[in-house]
């Protein structure tokens, strides 16, 4: 199964729904693919066995358990004809997960992203949940006062922004009051930036952090039409159910 990537919809809710739909489309239905038989796409023993993965409620573990045995199979096809294989997604999310951990974030910490929809944005989402973090998508149209509120409320340890708002992101991150500080990295609309550069030296392999169905995986802020925006909390179990339904 191959999934085509588009950029329709920019809101936080639309972003996670779209990312979940893409991730579910990449994984396919449980009955469609064989699991990876304990060998990762680098040819090394898988850090977690299939039996162990089946006990892990981390959304990434659920998706990866249904990746095809052939890592060269296309996972995403872009509008310009380029494609990402399952091996590409697995390795890229592993590098990014290792980067997130190297930055000092711990399971349960927040990773905020105000970026456009790209394959790299999907990888960031997968890497965050794979590392046990909580993903916080932010609409690229949000203004200064909205971002200030969200960062102070959610307290992310990492904020990924577009290069054109880097100065504002640095200022807001510094004022967010996050214990240990909020790091800022960039991801542009073509999938390039300091986030990718920082992740490149890291290892491809990453042992997906164990989570329970009730553990928090994402925070989506409401539109705030009837008052101040509130963060709706989605667990790994919620997102797994959504992924099955969307697929």
């Amino acid at each position: 199964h191959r999934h085509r990537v588009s950029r329709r919809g920019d809101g936080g809710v639309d972003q996670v729904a779209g990312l979940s739909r893409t991730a579910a489309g990449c994984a396919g239905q449980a009955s469609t693919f064989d699991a990876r038989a304990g060998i990762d796409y680098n040819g090394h023993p898988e850090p977690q066995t299939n039996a162990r993965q089946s006990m892990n409620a981390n959304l990434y573990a659920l998706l990866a358990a249904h990746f095809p045995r052939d890592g060269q199979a296309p996972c995403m096809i872009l509008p310009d004809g380029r494609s990402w294989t399952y091996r590409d997604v697995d390795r890229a999310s592993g590098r990014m997960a290792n980067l997130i951990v190297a930055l000092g974030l711990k399971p349960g910490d927040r990773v905020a992203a105000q970026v456009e929809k790209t394959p790299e944005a999907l990888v960031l989402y997968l890497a965050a949940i794979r590392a046990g973090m909580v993903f916080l998508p932010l609409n690229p149209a949000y203004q200064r006062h909205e971002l200030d509120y969200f960062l102070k409320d959610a307290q992310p340890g990492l904020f990924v922004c577009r290069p054109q708002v880097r100065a504002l992101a640095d200022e807001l991150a510094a004022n967010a009051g996050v214990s240990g500080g909020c790091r800022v990295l960039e991801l542009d609309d073509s999938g390039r930036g300091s986030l990718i550069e920082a992740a490149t030296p890291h290892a491809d392999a990453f042992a997906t952090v164990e989570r329970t169905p009730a553990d928090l995986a994402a925070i989506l802020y409401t539109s705030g039409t009837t008052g101040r925006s509130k963060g709706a909390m989605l667990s790994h179990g919620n997102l797994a159910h959504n992924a099955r339904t969307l697929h």
Side-chain angles (χ1 to χ4, degrees):
H1 288 243
R2 297 170 294 181
H3 198 78
R4 294 189 179 272
V5 178
S6 69
R7 294 185 178 178
R8 291 176 296 174
D10 288 324
V13 174
D14 286 341
Q15 283 187 339
V16 163
L19 292 171
S20 295
R21 185 180 298 110
T22 302
C26 288
Q29 295 177 339
S31 61
T32 303
F33 296 125
D34 292 329
R36 286 182 283 170
I39 302 297
D40 70 12
Y41 288 144
N42 301 303
H44 305 302
E46 185 68 27
Q48 299 178 6
T49 66
N50 290 331
R52 189 171 182 80
Q53 275 198 337
S54 67
M55 294 163 39
N56 186 355
N58 189 306
L59 178 64
Y60 187 84
L62 171 68
L63 297 172
H66 302 300
F67 281 6
R69 191 182 295 272
D70 179 11
Q72 287 296 102
C75 176
M76 292 182 284
I77 298 177
L78 308 184
D80 63 6
R82 290 180 299 124
S83 66
W84 281 57
T85 67
Y86 286 89
R87 179 179 287 120
D88 293 335
V89 171
D90 190 68
R91 288 177 171 178
S93 65
R95 290 192 297 272
M96 208 169 287
N98 279 312
L99 167 64
I100 291 170
V101 173
L103 290 174
L105 277 70
K106 307 295 184 187
D109 286 347
R110 278 64 166 153
V111 173
Q114 191 192 30
V115 296
E116 292 290 351
K117 291 180 182 177
T118 61
E120 291 79 10
L122 171 64
V123 168
L124 174 60
Y125 168 52
L126 294 175
I129 59 174
R130 188 175 183 181
M133 309 302 164
V134 179
F135 189 66
L136 170 62
L138 297 170
N139 191 323
Y142 282 144
Q143 300 300 304
R144 178 193 182 95
H145 69 281
E146 295 168 308
L147 288 173
D148 184 57
Y149 167 68
F150 295 138
L151 295 183
K152 287 179 177 176
D153 188 59
Q155 296 281 284
L158 172 63
F159 180 26
V160 180
C161 69
R162 293 163 297 157
Q164 57 266 42
V165 298
R166 176 60 188 264
L168 174 62
D170 283 335
E171 178 187 342
L172 296 179
N175 293 334
V178 180
S179 177
C182 177
R183 300 138 189 90
V184 179
L185 292 172
E186 301 169 8
L187 182 64
D188 69 19
D189 297 353
S190 63
R192 299 184 180 90
S194 58
L195 172 69
I196 305 303
E197 294 168 3
T200 299
H202 289 274
D204 298 337
F206 184 85
T208 300
V209 173
E210 289 198 29
R211 298 279 86 183
T212 71
D215 282 328
L216 191 59
I219 299 175
L220 306 183
Y221 279 92
T222 62
S223 61
T225 52
T226 59
R228 181 158 250 187
S229 297
K230 297 178 178 62
M233 298 187 177
L234 293 177
S235 68
H236 284 267
N238 294 146
L239 290 176
H241 176 77
N242 290 349
R244 292 189 184 98
T245 300
L246 290 167
H247 188 267

